[in-house]
Amino acid sequence: MKKILNILLIVLLAITVVLCAWAIIVTPPTSNNPTPAECSVLATTLTWGYILLVGAIVAALFCAAWGMLKNPSGIKSTILSVVVIIVVVVASYLLAKGSPAQIPDLEHGGYFGEGEALLSSASIWVAYFGMAGAILAALWSEITGAFK
């Protein structure tokens, strides 16, 4: 089974590399008026990215559910992880709501509405919390590994 998954991973990586190379080759460095070919290349690449994202989410959820079924003692840590994610998203939303942000709308002139600015700002805060958590986890892992 592991060999099949490794082959699948290599195939997915090869498709991604080919699509990215195709997008780089077809798209000129400065393209103010993209041709239909350029648009279809980028649309295909973006669609592939979305397919990979959905596949990764489905695989992560399936593996989490399968792991909980095989080892019910891990349910506590899974519930704790979900609670932490909810807390981070709610805290990000509250931080974003408290700070006024005006994001310029270059296409139509003016600024984006409050809803778009709030969503964008909250997403940035979630990314900040995620980066901080990753850095702290890496430091914690190195520190605890040094004392073992």
Side-chain angles (χ1 to χ4, degrees):
M1 183 69 167
K2 186 173 180 175
K3 189 173 185 173
I4 294 172
L5 290 176
N6 284 340
I7 292 170
L8 179 64
L9 180 64
I10 291 169
V11 168
L12 292 175
L13 183 61
I15 292 171
T16 303
V17 167
V18 167
L19 284 174
C20 288
W22 184 32
I24 291 169
I25 291 168
V26 171
T27 307
T30 57
S31 181
N32 293 336
N33 296 318
T35 66
E38 294 169 9
C39 291
S40 75
V41 168
L42 295 177
T44 304
T45 307
L46 280 174
T47 302
W48 179 250
Y50 292 142
I51 290 170
L52 289 177
L53 178 65
V54 168
I57 291 170
V58 168
L61 291 174
F62 175 75
C63 290
W66 185 260
M68 284 192 305
L69 289 174
K70 287 179 79 173
N71 185 9
S73 65
I75 291 176
K76 186 171 102 174
S77 62
T78 302
I79 291 173
L80 179 65
S81 298
V82 170
V83 168
V84 168
I85 290 171
I86 291 171
V87 167
V88 165
V89 170
V90 169
S92 299
Y93 177 78
L94 293 175
L95 283 170
K97 193 150 182 88
S99 61
Q102 289 189 334
I103 302 172
D105 184 2
L106 299 177
E107 184 177 355
H108 300 105
Y111 295 95
F112 281 106
E114 185 179 341
E116 293 92 351
L118 180 65
L119 180 63
S120 178
S121 183
S123 300
I124 292 171
W125 277 106
V126 168
Y128 289 159
F129 283 128
M131 286 188 296
I135 290 169
L136 290 175
L139 288 174
W140 178 259
S141 174
E142 287 298 319
I143 291 171
T144 56
F147 289 116
K148 284 187 178 180

